[in-house]
Amino acid sequence: MQVYLTHTADALENYYGPRALAALRKVADVRLNEAGRHLAGRELAEAAAGCQAIVSYRQSPGEAATFEHAPDLVAFLRCAVDIRNVDVASASAAGILVTQATPGFIPSVAELVLGQMVDLARGIGGAAASYHRGEVPSARMGAQLSGSTLGIIGYGAIARHLAPIGLALGMRVLVTDPHAKVEDARIEQVAQDRLLAESDFVVCLAIANEQTENLLNAAAFARMKRGAFFLNPSRGNLVDEAALRAALDAGHLAGCAMDVGRAPDQMPTPGLAAHPKVIATPHVGGLTPAAIEHQAFDTVRQVTALTEGRLPDHAVNADRAHRLSRLGIRP
């Protein structure tokens, strides 16, 4: 089987890794993206001509034009959980299988949130930056996580990992999620308005979709405690950034940490990231070897299944992927 890997050289190193690439090469003939940029549309289809599978980095979308101009393509394997920029309907119309990876970034993201909470509370980054500039920073009073209230919006996999960490630190933990039930008696499940009003640290881990667009808006920030901190490690479109900036400028919020935003590749918006009360990281929540290899090896297993005539795990449109018959696979 011939497989096209869409990762650029830098992305290949950071978001796939040499071990996974070596494993993929053991089961397939791998063609790398040598264009020096992320490909999309018809250009991606032409680069992958003759390949039965594309393993796609998140910056290479699965657009209708790709599926329309890739007559040899059988499967489009996303090396990520998020497939919102994959046109599954167009893939299905062409009979092409779409798969996704599983979340291997849960501990990694939770640990980043913990680090950002400590930094917000104690001003570590700001003090270090002053010393690096040759200045002596003033000593300022910090906040203590123990005894504070951690509010988590959304109770998915990352939240379920983060909540016990908060408890272990001596924090009171509140959770709001209309679609999940909290079983741990140590965690209080409350309405969102109450969570916002009572939390010292609010972490947004809600699912990003049309219903949650601008979930954290001016009204939500106004409900938060004065002097509270807001953290967004999830997706930028969950936050009304103008409202967030206004809450920071007014002094209502003491600070914010973000790993995502509305810039390309879900990066923090540079103008907001430059705010003196903001700690921003460039979408690195899942950027650890363990997290990256988890998802890369998902795609290796999926390619292996295809070469062995089996339906891969985590397929999203198997019932429409009639090109699988070329590999002797009957969904």
Side-chain angles (χ1 to χ4, degrees), residues 126-127 129-139:
S130 293
Y131 278 120
H132 292 164
R133 293 192 299 268
E135 305 167 359
V136 178
S138 59

Side-chain angles (χ1 to χ4, degrees), residues 69 172 235 281 284:
H69 294 94
R172 174 190 178 212
R235 287 291 183 266
T281 48
V284 296

Side-chain angles (χ1 to χ4, degrees), residues 73-88:
L73 188 64
V74 174
F76 188 89
L77 316 177
R78 170 49 54 86
C79 189
V81 177
D82 191 347
I83 58 170
R84 286 180 298 164
N85 68 349
V86 178
D87 189 337
V88 178

Side-chain angles (χ1 to χ4, degrees), residues 160-229:
R160 292 170 191 268
H161 192 90
L162 177 64
I165 295 175
L167 292 170
L169 292 169
M171 304 181 81
R172 174 190 178 212
V173 178
L174 307 180
V175 165
T176 186
D177 191 324
H179 307 294
K181 181 174 176 56
V182 176
E183 304 291 348
D184 191 331
R186 300 171 299 169
I187 301 170
E188 300 175 61
Q189 186 164 11
V190 299
Q192 181 171 305
D193 285 358
R194 181 181 164 193
L195 180 144
L196 294 171
E198 297 184 12
S199 297
D200 301 294
F201 297 84
V202 173
V203 180
C204 183
L205 287 168
I207 295 172
N209 54 35
E210 292 180 0
Q211 290 70 43
T212 56
E213 183 79 17
N214 289 326
L215 177 68
L216 277 298
N217 53 23
F221 290 124
R223 292 188 185 99
M224 289 179 62
K225 294 170 64 172
R226 185 171 184 84
F229 300 99

